[in-house]
Amino acid sequence: MSKTQSLHDSTPDKAPVVRFAMVLDLRRCVGCHSCSVACKSENEVPLGKFRSWVKVIEKGRYPDVSRQFLPALCNNCDNPICNRNCPVRATYRRPDGIVQVNQHRCIGCMYCMASCPYDVRYINPLRKIIQKCFFCDHRVDKGVEPACVETCLGRARIFGDINNPNSEIAQTLATNPVTTLKPDLGTEPHVFYIAADYDAMDPTSGVDINHIHFEHPF
Amino acid sequence: MDQNFVTVLYNSPHQIPLGKLLAQYFYLTGLSAGSFVVSVIAILGGKSEYKALGKIGAVVAPLCLVLAPMNLLTEMAQPLRSWHLMTYLPGYINLKSPITYGVALLTSYPISAIIYAFFVYTGNMKMSKIFAIIGIPLAISVHGYTGFILALGKGRALWNTALMPTLFIVSAMVSGIALMMLIAIILNVFFSKDKSQEAIAADRELIYGLGKFLGGVIIFDVFLIFNAVLVLLTSSKEAWHVAELLLWGRFAVDFVGIELILGSLIPLFIVFYPKTARNLKALSFASILVMVGIYAMRYTVVIGGQSVPLH
């Protein structure tokens, strides 16, 4: 996959030197949830919240059944709607593609949470600000892989710079059929899935929407 | 695959961000914008019998708008950082966000509305007309921008339609007219002892006329809701699920029962049926029903729009 281009830019943007992305190879995922645990301990995610979690579904009728996994995290979009809607520019996109939240500017209006199509943002109940997955940018800046990638025992997660043709992620993207979540929204997500299940990617599949209870923070 | 063959074993949906307080904020700005527009129509209309109506609206509009941002502040997680919205420094403020222009409107509109009310009450017609003309675009955009807040919330099928700002402005007109009609009826029945019989009768004629106006705007509002629901039913899968929630699901009582039947159809019948159209009790009942119905509309749009899982 070559350099992606923003939807609303007719001129090709200045070639970014680095564009971080993640590939989730679900042929290798065993659904052990160790990425969720690693993320929680690395980023001090409060109780009941997840920056990265694994959705698990079962489908089919006995004896033709299977269990499918869908690890979920912030897609760090190229055209992030949270970034566009944040009134105080607390959410911004780093030149390397990571969508970051400035924790000292966030006013907690929760508009980004409401407009994110992937429901990856949460409000920290202790600090009262918006948080989400940042690809562990504090580790990436030091040259270490994100916690979930390092802990993944099946090596289902591949992280790296997609603009570097010698990186593992660029080669994986070039040689495998990949997909993203909700590509039709034009957000250009940069978390790619290999062998993701249709029903696991469908938010309303297997859900009785009349009986889901959504909490409100306050 | 068929829904019955899939079971979700584990998922981690987050909380819904915008709650009832935001619905209440939308409701109050709607009341304010609607009553301001009616007041301005009455003042610019020129006839002296309309003036009473103009005075009611001039008070109600700033009053509702002073209450409205309180809801926003309590809804925010960091209310003490709300000054971050008003720095207006390049690089610190996002001009693409509807909240940014909302903040500018929420500060300028009440000021112009208060000046307008001052000139209306001191009887300076020339200045009140000038501030009416300044206030009209502000009043419409202070409510229109709330529609944009929802319309630009890309992830939610119910919100992300081009119809949303128009729907919000029209429903604001509906609730504003209903509130003004209710206040006009209360003033007419309880607070007009020192007025002559002719003046009271003229006021009543005005209220009946307002009822007809309310009926017309309700018809337009119902037409827009019909359009929105029809498109939801034929659009994406998520949109279909929202329509399911609203029409026969969890929000059916709020949407079909309170908003459409109690809040639109019964008031429509009351304001157009000849026996009740000239009855103050029936009209005040209709205006209360309309206001409850519009509150239900704000509630279903804000909470119902977020009640479909995204993950």
Side-chain angles (χ1 to χ4, degrees), chain B residues 183-250:
Chain B
I183 294 173
I185 291 171
I186 290 171
L187 288 180
N188 184 270
V189 173
F190 296 108
F191 297 97
S192 51
K193 298 233 164 54
D194 48 348
K195 279 189 179 175
S196 64
Q197 283 301 315
E198 293 83 55
I200 293 175
D203 277 359
R204 292 202 173 165
E205 283 306 315
L206 207 60
I207 292 165
Y208 303 145
L210 207 56
K212 291 276 183 297
F213 188 34
L214 177 66
V217 186
I218 290 177
I219 290 174
F220 189 40
D221 192 39
V222 171
F223 170 65
L224 286 178
I225 293 170
F226 172 75
N227 289 358
V229 170
L230 202 64
V231 173
L232 280 180
L233 282 169
T234 49
S235 180
S236 65
K237 188 175 177 183
E238 210 184 311
W240 194 87
H241 279 296
V242 181
E244 182 191 352
L245 269 183
L246 293 186
L247 292 178
W248 59 87
R250 229 173 80 206

Side-chain angles (χ1 to χ4, degrees), chain B residues 29 31-37 61-62 65 104-115 134-140 142:
Chain B
T29 42
L31 281 183
S32 170
S35 47
F36 188 84
V37 170
L65 212 88
L105 291 166
L106 278 174
T107 37
S108 57
Y109 166 67
I111 294 170
S112 97
I114 287 169
I115 297 172
I134 295 173
I136 273 281
L138 285 176
I140 289 175
V142 89

Side-chain angles (χ1 to χ4, degrees), chain B residues 34-44 53-55 57-58 116 180:
Chain B
S35 47
F36 188 84
V37 170
V38 177
S39 160
V40 166
I41 291 172
I43 291 290
L44 290 184
L53 219 51
K55 281 187 172 179
Y116 166 77
M180 286 192 59

